[in-house]
Amino acid sequence: MSLLTGPGLALLIVVPLFLLAALRKSAQLAQHRGWLPGRLAGSAPGARGAGATATEELHALVYPSKRVQLEQRRIELVLRDDEQDGAPRRTGIDLDAGTARLPGGR
């Protein structure tokens, strides 16, 4: 009797799927607690996923200069660009042109 019939086939399919679901849930928990940088779901366009973040962290273990680059990227995400610093305006009303710029609008 073959193991790939009935219950054996079900276990062969269900167990790996269960393990993947448990791994994803533990990664989401680690991300929520701040142990894992990156985004797993609902990421903004242009944002890096958890796989890219994990690869870069492994790369940083081998090359110390990569660690400096990652820290600089995290700092730039936190810092805000103000109009006084030369950044483009985020909001505003231009009465001459008859336009209004709203945050998040393109």
Side-chain angles (χ1 to χ4, degrees):
M1 186 168 166
S2 176
L3 291 176
L4 295 179
T5 59
L9 184 60
L11 283 176
L12 189 65
I13 295 171
V14 171
V15 170
L17 290 177
F18 177 78
L19 291 175
L20 284 175
L23 178 66
R24 179 155 176 95
K25 191 65 176 176
S26 62
Q28 286 175 342
L29 179 65
Q31 179 187 357
H32 178 70
R33 292 189 177 179
W35 299 339
L36 179 66
R39 299 169 191 248
L40 294 175
S43 61
R48 296 177 356 263
T53 303
T55 303
E56 286 183 343
E57 290 293 332
L58 288 174
H59 188 193
L61 287 173
V62 178
Y63 297 105
S65 61
K66 185 68 173 181
R67 170 67 50 208
V68 173
Q69 180 185 4
L70 293 175
E71 290 301 320
Q72 182 64 30
R73 187 180 297 160
R74 287 186 188 117
I75 290 170
E76 288 176 1
L77 286 174
V78 173
L79 295 178
R80 211 174 101 166
D81 292 330
D82 292 327
E83 289 179 37
Q84 294 83 10
D85 297 334
R89 296 173 54 186
R90 283 181 267 195
T91 61
I93 297 175
D94 186 2
L95 295 177
D96 295 331
T99 59
R101 177 178 283 187
L102 301 175
R106 301 224 179 249

Coordinates of all heavy atoms in Angstrom, one line a residue:
M1 N 0.8 -1.2 0.0 CA 0.0 0.0 0.0 C 0.9 1.2 0.0 O 1.8 1.4 0.8 CB -0.9 0.0 1.2 CG -1.9 1.1 1.2 SD -3.1 0.7 2.5 CE -3.9 2.3 2.6
S2 N 0.6 2.2 -0.8 CA 1.4 3.4 -1.0 C 1.0 4.4 0.1 O -0.2 4.5 0.5 CB 1.2 3.9 -2.4 OG 1.8 5.1 -2.5
L3 N 2.0 5.2 0.4 CA 1.7 6.3 1.4 C 1.0 7.5 0.7 O 0.5 8.4 1.4 CB 3.0 6.8 2.0 CG 3.7 5.8 3.0 CD1 5.0 6.4 3.5 CD2 2.8 5.5 4.2
L4 N 1.0 7.6 -0.6 CA 0.4 8.7 -1.3 C -1.0 8.5 -1.6 O -1.5 9.0 -2.6 CB 1.3 9.0 -2.5 CG 2.7 9.5 -2.3 CD1 3.4 9.7 -3.6 CD2 2.7 10.7 -1.4
T5 N -1.7 7.8 -0.8 CA -3.2 7.6 -1.0 C -3.9 8.1 0.2 O -3.4 7.9 1.4 CB -3.5 6.2 -1.3 OG1 -3.1 5.4 -0.1 CG2 -2.9 5.6 -2.5
G6 N -5.0 8.7 0.1 CA -5.9 9.1 1.2 C -5.2 10.0 2.2 O -4.7 11.1 2.0
P7 N -5.0 9.4 3.4 CA -4.5 10.2 4.6 C -3.0 10.6 4.3 O -2.6 11.7 4.7 CB -4.6 9.3 5.8 CG -5.6 8.2 5.4 CD -5.5 8.1 3.9
G8 N -2.2 9.8 3.7 CA -0.8 10.2 3.4 C -0.7 11.4 2.5 O 0.1 12.3 2.8
L9 N -1.5 11.4 1.5 CA -1.5 12.5 0.6 C -2.0 13.8 1.2 O -1.5 14.9 1.1 CB -2.4 12.2 -0.7 CG -2.4 13.3 -1.8 CD1 -1.0 13.5 -2.3 CD2 -3.3 12.8 -2.9
A10 N -3.1 13.7 2.1 CA -3.6 14.8 2.8 C -2.5 15.4 3.7 O -2.4 16.6 3.8 CB -4.8 14.4 3.6
L11 N -1.8 14.5 4.4 CA -0.7 15.0 5.3 C 0.4 15.7 4.5 O 1.0 16.7 5.0 CB -0.2 13.9 6.2 CG -1.0 13.4 7.3 CD1 -0.4 12.2 8.0 CD2 -1.2 14.5 8.3
L12 N 0.7 15.1 3.4 CA 1.7 15.7 2.5 C 1.4 17.1 2.1 O 2.3 17.9 1.9 CB 2.0 14.8 1.3 CG 3.2 15.1 0.5 CD1 4.5 14.9 1.3 CD2 3.2 14.2 -0.8
I13 N 0.1 17.4 1.9 CA -0.3 18.7 1.5 C -0.6 19.6 2.7 O -0.1 20.8 2.7 CB -1.6 18.6 0.6 CG1 -1.2 17.9 -0.7 CG2 -2.2 20.0 0.4 CD1 -2.4 17.6 -1.5
V14 N -1.2 19.1 3.7 CA -1.7 20.0 4.9 C -0.5 20.4 5.8 O -0.5 21.5 6.2 CB -2.8 19.2 5.7 CG1 -3.1 20.0 6.9 CG2 -4.0 19.1 4.8
V15 N 0.4 19.5 6.1 CA 1.5 19.8 7.0 C 2.4 21.0 6.5 O 2.6 21.9 7.2 CB 2.3 18.5 7.4 CG1 3.6 18.9 8.1 CG2 1.4 17.6 8.2
P16 N 2.9 20.9 5.2 CA 3.7 22.1 4.8 C 2.9 23.4 4.8 O 3.4 24.5 5.1 CB 4.1 21.7 3.4 CG 4.0 20.2 3.3 CD 2.9 19.9 4.2
L17 N 1.6 23.3 4.4 CA 0.8 24.6 4.4 C 0.6 25.1 5.9 O 0.7 26.3 6.1 CB -0.6 24.3 3.8 CG -0.6 24.1 2.3 CD1 -2.0 23.7 1.8 CD2 0.0 25.3 1.6
F18 N 0.4 24.2 6.8 CA 0.3 24.6 8.2 C 1.6 25.2 8.7 O 1.6 26.2 9.4 CB 0.0 23.4 9.1 CG -0.1 23.7 10.5 CD1 -1.2 24.4 11.1 CD2 1.0 23.4 11.4 CE1 -1.2 24.7 12.4 CE2 0.9 23.7 12.7 CZ -0.2 24.3 13.3
L19 N 2.8 24.6 8.3 CA 4.1 25.2 8.7 C 4.3 26.6 8.1 O 4.8 27.5 8.7 CB 5.2 24.2 8.3 CG 5.2 22.9 9.1 CD1 6.3 22.0 8.5 CD2 5.5 23.2 10.6
L20 N 3.9 26.8 6.8 CA 4.0 28.1 6.2 C 3.2 29.1 6.9 O 3.6 30.3 7.1 CB 3.7 28.0 4.7 CG 4.7 27.4 3.8 CD1 4.2 27.2 2.4 CD2 6.0 28.2 3.8
A21 N 1.9 28.7 7.2 CA 1.0 29.7 7.9 C 1.6 30.0 9.3 O 1.5 31.2 9.7 CB -0.3 29.1 8.1
A22 N 2.1 29.1 10.0 CA 2.7 29.3 11.3 C 4.0 30.2 11.2 O 4.2 31.1 12.0 CB 3.1 28.0 12.0
L23 N 4.8 30.0 10.2 CA 5.9 30.9 9.9 C 5.5 32.3 9.6 O 6.1 33.2 10.2 CB 6.8 30.3 8.8 CG 8.0 31.1 8.4 CD1 9.0 31.1 9.6 CD2 8.6 30.5 7.2
R24 N 4.5 32.5 8.8 CA 4.1 33.8 8.5 C 3.5 34.5 9.7 O 3.7 35.7 9.9 CB 3.0 33.7 7.4 CG 2.5 35.1 7.0 CD 1.9 35.1 5.6 NE 1.3 36.4 5.3 CZ 2.0 37.4 4.7 NH1 3.2 37.2 4.3 NH2 1.4 38.5 4.4
K25 N 2.7 33.8 10.5 CA 2.1 34.4 11.7 C 3.2 34.8 12.7 O 3.2 35.9 13.3 CB 1.2 33.4 12.4 CG 0.3 34.0 13.4 CD -0.6 35.1 12.9 CE -1.5 35.6 13.9 NZ -2.3 36.7 13.5
S26 N 4.3 34.0 12.8 CA 5.3 34.3 13.7 C 6.1 35.5 13.2 O 6.6 36.4 14.0 CB 6.3 33.1 14.0 OG 6.9 32.7 12.8
A27 N 6.3 35.6 11.9 CA 7.0 36.8 11.3 C 6.2 38.1 11.5 O 6.7 39.1 11.8 CB 7.2 36.5 9.8
Q28 N 4.8 38.0 11.4 CA 4.0 39.1 11.6 C 4.1 39.6 13.1 O 4.1 40.8 13.4 CB 2.5 38.8 11.3 CG 2.3 38.8 9.8 CD 0.8 38.3 9.5 OE1 0.1 37.8 10.3 NE2 0.4 38.6 8.2
L29 N 4.1 38.6 14.0 CA 4.3 39.0 15.4 C 5.6 39.6 15.7 O 5.7 40.6 16.4 CB 4.1 37.7 16.3 CG 4.3 37.9 17.8 CD1 3.1 38.8 18.3 CD2 4.3 36.5 18.4
A30 N 6.7 39.1 15.1 CA 8.0 39.6 15.3 C 8.1 41.1 14.7 O 8.7 41.9 15.3 CB 9.0 38.7 14.6
Q31 N 7.4 41.3 13.5 CA 7.4 42.6 13.0 C 6.6 43.6 13.8 O 7.0 44.7 14.0 CB 6.8 42.6 11.6 CG 6.7 43.9 10.9 CD 5.9 43.9 9.6 OE1 5.5 42.8 9.2 NE2 5.7 45.0 9.0
H32 N 5.5 43.1 14.4 CA 4.7 44.0 15.2 C 5.4 44.4 16.5 O 5.3 45.5 17.0 CB 3.4 43.3 15.6 CG 2.5 44.0 16.5 ND1 1.8 45.2 16.1 CD2 2.2 43.9 17.8 CE1 1.1 45.6 17.1 NE2 1.3 44.9 18.2
R33 N 6.2 43.5 17.0 CA 7.0 43.8 18.2 C 8.3 44.6 17.9 O 9.0 44.9 18.8 CB 7.3 42.5 19.0 CG 6.1 41.9 19.6 CD 6.4 40.8 20.5 NE 5.2 40.3 21.1 CZ 5.2 39.3 21.9 NH1 6.3 38.7 22.2 NH2 4.0 38.9 22.4
G34 N 8.6 44.8 16.6 CA 9.8 45.5 16.3 C 11.1 44.7 16.1 O 12.2 45.2 16.0
W35 N 10.9 43.4 16.2 CA 12.1 42.5 16.1 C 12.5 42.3 14.7 O 13.7 42.0 14.4 CB 11.8 41.1 16.7 CG 11.5 41.1 18.1 CD1 11.8 42.1 19.0 CD2 10.7 40.1 18.9 NE1 11.3 41.8 20.3 CE2 10.6 40.6 20.2 CE3 10.2 38.9 18.5 CZ2 10.0 39.8 21.2 CZ3 9.6 38.2 19.5 CH2 9.5 38.6 20.8
L36 N 11.6 42.5 13.7 CA 11.8 42.2 12.3 C 11.5 43.5 11.5 O 10.3 43.9 11.4 CB 11.0 41.0 11.8 CG 11.1 40.6 10.4 CD1 12.5 40.1 10.1 CD2 10.1 39.6 10.0
P37 N 12.5 44.1 10.9 CA 12.2 45.3 10.1 C 11.6 44.9 8.8 O 11.8 43.8 8.3 CB 13.5 46.0 9.9 CG 14.5 44.9 10.0 CD 13.9 43.9 11.0
G38 N 10.8 45.8 8.2 CA 10.2 45.5 6.9 C 8.7 45.4 6.9 O 8.1 45.6 8.0
R39 N 8.1 45.2 5.8 CA 6.7 45.1 5.7 C 6.3 43.8 5.1 O 6.8 43.3 4.1 CB 6.1 46.2 4.8 CG 6.5 47.6 5.4 CD 6.2 48.6 4.3 NE 6.8 49.9 4.8 CZ 6.0 50.9 5.1 NH1 4.8 50.8 5.1 NH2 6.6 52.0 5.5
L40 N 5.3 43.1 5.7 CA 4.8 41.8 5.2 C 3.6 42.0 4.4 O 3.4 41.3 3.4 CB 4.6 40.9 6.4 CG 5.8 40.5 7.2 CD1 5.4 39.6 8.4 CD2 6.7 39.7 6.3
A41 N 2.6 42.8 4.8 CA 1.4 43.0 4.0 C 1.0 44.4 4.1 O 1.3 45.2 5.0 CB 0.3 42.1 4.7
G42 N 0.2 44.8 3.1 CA -0.3 46.2 3.0 C 0.8 47.2 2.8 O 0.7 48.3 3.3
S43 N 1.9 46.8 2.1 CA 3.0 47.8 2.0 C 2.6 48.8 0.9 O 1.9 48.6 0.0 CB 4.2 47.0 1.6 OG 4.1 46.4 0.4
A44 N 3.2 50.0 1.1 CA 3.1 51.1 0.2 C 3.8 50.8 -1.1 O 4.8 50.0 -1.1 CB 3.6 52.3 0.8
P45 N 3.4 51.4 -2.2 CA 4.1 51.1 -3.5 C 5.6 51.6 -3.3 O 5.8 52.6 -2.8 CB 3.4 52.0 -4.5 CG 2.0 52.3 -3.9 CD 2.2 52.2 -2.4
G46 N 6.5 50.8 -3.8 CA 7.9 51.1 -3.7 C 8.5 50.7 -2.4 O 9.7 50.8 -2.3
A47 N 7.7 50.1 -1.5 CA 8.3 49.6 -0.2 C 8.9 48.3 -0.4 O 8.5 47.5 -1.3 CB 7.2 49.6 0.8
R48 N 9.9 48.0 0.4 CA 10.6 46.7 0.3 C 9.8 45.7 1.1 O 9.3 46.0 2.1 CB 12.0 46.8 0.8 CG 12.8 47.7 -0.1 CD 14.2 47.9 0.4 NE 14.6 47.3 1.6 CZ 14.6 48.0 2.8 NH1 14.2 49.2 2.9 NH2 15.1 47.3 3.9
G49 N 9.8 44.4 0.6 CA 9.2 43.4 1.4 C 10.1 42.8 2.4 O 11.2 43.1 2.6
A50 N 9.5 41.8 3.2 CA 10.2 41.2 4.2 C 11.4 40.3 3.7 O 12.5 40.2 4.3 CB 9.3 40.3 5.1
G51 N 11.2 39.7 2.5 CA 12.3 38.9 1.9 C 13.5 39.8 1.6 O 14.7 39.4 1.8
A52 N 13.3 41.0 1.0 CA 14.4 41.9 0.6 C 15.1 42.4 1.9 O 16.3 42.5 1.9 CB 13.8 43.0 -0.2
T53 N 14.3 42.7 2.9 CA 14.9 43.1 4.2 C 15.7 42.1 4.8 O 16.8 42.3 5.3 CB 13.7 43.6 5.2 OG1 13.0 44.6 4.5 CG2 14.3 44.1 6.4
A54 N 15.2 40.8 4.8 CA 16.0 39.7 5.4 C 17.3 39.5 4.6 O 18.3 39.2 5.2 CB 15.1 38.4 5.4
T55 N 17.2 39.6 3.3 CA 18.4 39.4 2.5 C 19.4 40.5 2.8 O 20.6 40.2 2.9 CB 18.0 39.4 1.0 OG1 17.1 38.4 0.8 CG2 19.3 39.2 0.1
E56 N 19.0 41.7 2.9 CA 19.9 42.8 3.2 C 20.5 42.7 4.6 O 21.7 43.0 4.8 CB 19.2 44.2 3.1 CG 18.9 44.5 1.7 CD 18.3 45.9 1.5 OE1 17.8 46.4 2.5 OE2 18.4 46.4 0.4
E57 N 19.7 42.2 5.6 CA 20.3 41.9 6.9 C 21.4 40.9 6.9 O 22.4 41.0 7.6 CB 19.2 41.6 7.9 CG 18.2 42.7 8.2 CD 18.9 43.8 9.0 OE1 19.9 43.6 9.7 OE2 18.5 45.0 8.9
L58 N 21.1 39.8 6.1 CA 22.2 38.8 6.0 C 23.4 39.3 5.3 O 24.5 39.0 5.7 CB 21.6 37.6 5.2 CG 20.6 36.7 6.0 CD1 20.0 35.7 5.0 CD2 21.2 36.1 7.2
H59 N 23.2 40.2 4.3 CA 24.3 40.8 3.6 C 25.1 41.7 4.6 O 26.3 41.7 4.5 CB 23.7 41.6 2.5 CG 24.8 42.2 1.5 ND1 24.5 43.1 0.6 CD2 26.1 41.9 1.4 CE1 25.6 43.5 -0.1 NE2 26.6 42.7 0.4
A60 N 24.4 42.3 5.5 CA 25.1 43.2 6.5 C 25.9 42.4 7.5 O 26.9 43.0 8.0 CB 24.0 44.0 7.2
L61 N 25.6 41.1 7.7 CA 26.4 40.3 8.6 C 27.8 40.1 8.0 O 28.8 40.0 8.7 CB 25.7 39.0 8.8 CG 24.5 39.0 9.7 CD1 23.9 37.6 9.8 CD2 24.9 39.4 11.1
V62 N 27.9 40.0 6.6 CA 29.1 39.7 6.0 C 29.9 41.0 5.7 O 31.1 41.0 5.8 CB 28.8 39.0 4.7 CG1 30.1 38.7 3.9 CG2 28.1 37.7 4.9
Y63 N 29.2 42.1 5.3 CA 29.9 43.3 4.9 C 29.4 44.4 5.8 O 28.3 44.9 5.8 CB 29.5 43.7 3.4 CG 29.9 42.7 2.4 CD1 29.0 41.8 1.8 CD2 31.3 42.6 2.1 CE1 29.5 40.9 0.9 CE2 31.7 41.7 1.1 CZ 30.8 40.8 0.5 OH 31.2 39.9 -0.4
P64 N 30.4 44.9 6.7 CA 30.0 46.0 7.6 C 29.5 47.3 7.0 O 28.7 48.0 7.5 CB 31.3 46.2 8.4 CG 32.1 45.0 8.2 CD 31.7 44.4 6.9
S65 N 30.0 47.6 5.7 CA 29.6 48.8 5.1 C 28.1 48.7 4.7 O 27.4 49.8 4.6 CB 30.4 49.0 3.8 OG 30.2 47.9 2.9
K66 N 27.6 47.5 4.5 CA 26.1 47.4 4.3 C 25.3 47.8 5.5 O 24.2 48.4 5.4 CB 25.8 46.0 3.9 CG 24.4 45.7 3.5 CD 24.1 46.5 2.2 CE 22.7 46.1 1.7 NZ 22.3 46.8 0.4
R67 N 25.8 47.5 6.7 CA 25.1 47.9 7.9 C 25.0 49.4 8.0 O 24.0 49.9 8.4 CB 25.9 47.4 9.1 CG 25.5 47.9 10.5 CD 24.1 47.5 10.9 NE 24.0 46.0 10.8 CZ 22.8 45.5 10.6 NH1 21.7 46.2 10.5 NH2 22.7 44.2 10.5
V68 N 26.1 50.2 7.6 CA 26.0 51.6 7.6 C 25.0 52.1 6.6 O 24.2 53.0 6.9 CB 27.4 52.2 7.3 CG1 27.3 53.7 7.1 CG2 28.4 51.8 8.3
Q69 N 24.9 51.5 5.5 CA 23.9 51.8 4.5 C 22.5 51.6 5.0 O 21.6 52.5 4.8 CB 24.1 51.1 3.2 CG 23.2 51.4 2.1 CD 23.4 50.5 0.9 OE1 24.2 49.6 0.9 NE2 22.6 50.7 -0.2
L70 N 22.2 50.5 5.6 CA 20.9 50.2 6.2 C 20.5 51.2 7.3 O 19.4 51.6 7.3 CB 20.8 48.8 6.7 CG 21.0 47.7 5.7 CD1 21.0 46.3 6.3 CD2 19.8 47.7 4.7
E71 N 21.4 51.5 8.1 CA 21.1 52.5 9.2 C 20.8 53.9 8.6 O 19.9 54.6 9.0 CB 22.3 52.6 10.2 CG 22.5 51.4 11.0 CD 21.3 51.1 11.9 OE1 20.7 52.0 12.4 OE2 20.9 49.9 12.0
Q72 N 21.6 54.3 7.5 CA 21.3 55.6 6.9 C 19.9 55.5 6.3 O 19.2 56.5 6.3 CB 22.4 55.9 5.8 CG 22.2 57.2 5.1 CD 22.3 58.4 6.1 OE1 23.1 58.3 7.1 NE2 21.6 59.4 5.8
R73 N 19.5 54.4 5.7 CA 18.2 54.3 5.1 C 17.1 54.5 6.1 O 16.1 55.1 5.9 CB 18.0 53.0 4.3 CG 16.8 52.9 3.5 CD 16.7 51.6 2.8 NE 17.7 51.4 1.8 CZ 18.1 50.2 1.4 NH1 17.6 49.1 1.8 NH2 19.1 50.2 0.5
R74 N 17.3 53.8 7.3 CA 16.3 54.0 8.4 C 16.2 55.4 8.9 O 15.1 55.9 9.2 CB 16.7 53.0 9.5 CG 16.4 51.6 9.2 CD 16.7 50.7 10.4 NE 16.6 49.3 9.9 CZ 17.6 48.4 10.0 NH1 18.7 48.8 10.5 NH2 17.4 47.2 9.6
I75 N 17.3 56.1 8.9 CA 17.3 57.5 9.4 C 16.6 58.3 8.4 O 15.8 59.2 8.8 CB 18.8 58.0 9.6 CG1 19.4 57.3 10.8 CG2 18.8 59.5 9.7 CD1 20.9 57.5 11.0
E76 N 16.8 58.1 7.1 CA 16.1 58.9 6.1 C 14.6 58.7 6.1 O 13.9 59.6 5.8 CB 16.7 58.6 4.7 CG 18.1 59.2 4.5 CD 18.7 58.8 3.2 OE1 18.0 58.1 2.4 OE2 19.8 59.2 2.9
L77 N 14.2 57.5 6.5 CA 12.7 57.3 6.5 C 12.1 58.0 7.7 O 10.9 58.4 7.6 CB 12.5 55.8 6.7 CG 12.7 54.9 5.5 CD1 12.6 53.4 5.9 CD2 11.8 55.3 4.4
V78 N 12.8 58.3 8.7 CA 12.3 59.0 9.9 C 12.3 60.5 9.7 O 11.4 61.2 10.1 CB 13.1 58.6 11.2 CG1 12.7 59.4 12.4 CG2 12.9 57.1 11.4
L79 N 13.4 61.0 9.1 CA 13.5 62.4 8.9 C 12.4 63.0 8.0 O 12.0 62.4 7.0 CB 14.9 62.8 8.4 CG 16.0 62.5 9.3 CD1 17.4 62.8 8.7 CD2 15.9 63.2 10.7
R80 N 12.0 64.2 8.3 CA 11.0 64.9 7.5 C 11.6 65.9 6.6 O 12.5 66.6 7.0 CB 10.0 65.5 8.4 CG 8.6 65.6 7.9 CD 7.7 66.1 8.9 NE 7.5 67.5 8.7 CZ 6.6 68.2 9.2 NH1 5.8 67.7 10.2 NH2 6.4 69.5 8.9
D81 N 11.1 66.1 5.4 CA 11.6 67.1 4.5 C 10.6 68.3 4.6 O 9.4 68.2 4.4 CB 11.6 66.7 3.0 CG 12.6 65.6 2.8 OD1 13.7 65.6 3.5 OD2 12.4 64.8 1.9
D82 N 11.2 69.5 5.0 CA 10.4 70.7 5.1 C 10.6 71.6 4.0 O 11.6 71.6 3.3 CB 10.7 71.4 6.4 CG 10.3 70.6 7.7 OD1 9.3 69.9 7.6 OD2 11.0 70.7 8.7
E83 N 9.6 72.5 3.7 CA 9.7 73.4 2.7 C 10.9 74.4 2.9 O 11.6 74.8 1.9 CB 8.5 74.3 2.6 CG 7.3 73.5 2.1 CD 6.0 74.3 2.0 OE1 6.1 75.5 1.7 OE2 5.0 73.8 2.3
Q84 N 11.2 74.7 4.1 CA 12.4 75.6 4.4 C 13.7 74.9 4.0 O 14.7 75.6 3.8 CB 12.4 75.9 5.9 CG 11.2 76.8 6.4 CD 10.0 75.9 6.7 OE1 10.1 74.7 6.8 NE2 8.9 76.6 6.9
D85 N 13.7 73.6 4.0 CA 14.9 72.9 3.6 C 15.1 72.7 2.1 O 16.0 72.0 1.6 CB 15.0 71.5 4.3 CG 15.1 71.7 5.8 OD1 15.5 72.7 6.3 OD2 14.6 70.7 6.5
G86 N 14.1 73.2 1.3 CA 14.1 73.1 -0.1 C 13.3 71.9 -0.7 O 13.3 71.6 -1.9
A87 N 12.5 71.2 0.2 CA 11.7 70.1 -0.3 C 10.5 70.7 -1.0 O 10.0 71.8 -0.7 CB 11.3 69.3 0.9
P88 N 9.9 69.9 -1.9 CA 8.7 70.4 -2.6 C 7.5 70.6 -1.6 O 7.5 69.9 -0.6 CB 8.3 69.3 -3.6 CG 9.1 68.2 -3.2 CD 10.3 68.7 -2.4
R89 N 6.6 71.5 -1.9 CA 5.5 71.7 -0.9 C 4.5 70.5 -0.9 O 4.2 69.9 -2.0 CB 4.7 72.9 -1.4 CG 5.5 74.2 -1.3 CD 4.8 75.4 -1.9 NE 3.5 75.5 -1.3 CZ 2.7 76.4 -1.8 NH1 3.0 77.2 -2.8 NH2 1.5 76.6 -1.2
R90 N 4.1 70.1 0.3 CA 3.2 69.0 0.4 C 1.7 69.4 0.3 O 0.9 68.7 -0.3 CB 3.4 68.3 1.7 CG 4.6 67.4 1.7 CD 4.7 66.7 3.0 NE 5.6 67.6 3.8 CZ 6.1 67.3 4.9 NH1 5.9 66.1 5.4 NH2 6.9 68.1 5.6
T91 N 1.4 70.6 0.8 CA 0.1 71.1 0.8 C 0.1 72.5 0.4 O 1.2 73.2 0.5 CB -0.6 71.0 2.1 OG1 0.1 71.7 3.1 CG2 -0.8 69.5 2.6
G92 N -1.0 73.1 0.0 CA -1.0 74.5 -0.3 C -2.1 74.8 -1.3 O -2.6 74.0 -2.1
I93 N -2.4 76.1 -1.4 CA -3.4 76.6 -2.3 C -2.7 77.7 -3.2 O -2.1 78.6 -2.7 CB -4.6 77.2 -1.6 CG1 -5.3 76.0 -0.8 CG2 -5.6 77.8 -2.6 CD1 -6.4 76.5 0.0
D94 N -2.8 77.5 -4.5 CA -2.2 78.5 -5.4 C -3.4 79.2 -6.0 O -4.1 78.7 -6.9 CB -1.4 77.8 -6.5 CG -0.7 78.8 -7.4 OD1 -0.8 80.0 -7.2 OD2 0.0 78.3 -8.3
L95 N -3.7 80.5 -5.5 CA -4.8 81.2 -6.0 C -4.7 81.6 -7.5 O -5.6 81.7 -8.2 CB -5.1 82.4 -5.1 CG -5.4 82.1 -3.7 CD1 -5.6 83.4 -2.8 CD2 -6.7 81.3 -3.6
D96 N -3.4 81.9 -7.9 CA -3.2 82.4 -9.3 C -3.5 81.3 -10.3 O -4.1 81.5 -11.3 CB -1.8 82.8 -9.4 CG -1.5 84.1 -8.6 OD1 -2.4 84.9 -8.3 OD2 -0.3 84.3 -8.2
A97 N -3.1 80.1 -10.0 CA -3.3 78.9 -10.9 C -4.7 78.3 -10.6 O -5.2 77.5 -11.5 CB -2.2 77.9 -10.7
G98 N -5.3 78.6 -9.5 CA -6.6 78.0 -9.2 C -6.5 76.5 -8.8 O -7.4 75.7 -9.1
T99 N -5.4 76.1 -8.1 CA -5.2 74.7 -7.8 C -5.0 74.6 -6.3 O -4.5 75.5 -5.6 CB -4.0 74.1 -8.5 OG1 -2.8 74.8 -8.2 CG2 -4.2 74.1 -10.0
A100 N -5.3 73.4 -5.7 CA -5.0 73.1 -4.3 C -4.3 71.8 -4.3 O -4.6 70.8 -5.0 CB -6.3 73.0 -3.6
R101 N -3.3 71.7 -3.5 CA -2.5 70.5 -3.3 C -2.8 69.9 -2.0 O -2.7 70.5 -0.9 CB -1.0 70.8 -3.4 CG -0.1 69.5 -3.2 CD 1.3 69.8 -3.4 NE 1.5 69.9 -4.8 CZ 2.7 70.1 -5.4 NH1 3.7 70.2 -4.6 NH2 2.8 70.1 -6.7
L102 N -3.2 68.6 -2.0 CA -3.6 67.9 -0.7 C -2.5 66.9 -0.4 O -1.9 66.3 -1.3 CB -4.9 67.2 -0.9 CG -6.1 68.2 -1.2 CD1 -7.4 67.4 -1.5 CD2 -6.3 69.2 -0.1
P103 N -2.3 66.5 0.8 CA -1.3 65.5 1.2 C -1.8 64.1 0.6 O -2.9 63.8 0.6 CB -1.3 65.4 2.7 CG -2.4 66.3 3.2 CD -2.9 67.1 2.0
G104 N -0.8 63.4 0.1 CA -1.1 62.1 -0.5 C -1.6 62.1 -1.9 O -1.6 61.1 -2.6
G105 N -2.1 63.2 -2.4 CA -2.6 63.4 -3.8 C -1.5 63.5 -4.8 O -0.4 64.1 -4.5
R106 N -1.7 63.0 -5.9 CA -0.6 63.1 -7.0 C -1.2 63.9 -8.2 O -2.3 63.9 -8.5 CB -0.2 61.8 -7.5 CG 0.4 61.0 -6.3 CD 1.6 60.3 -6.7 NE 2.1 59.5 -5.6 CZ 3.2 59.8 -5.0 NH1 3.9 60.9 -5.3 NH2 3.7 59.1 -4.0

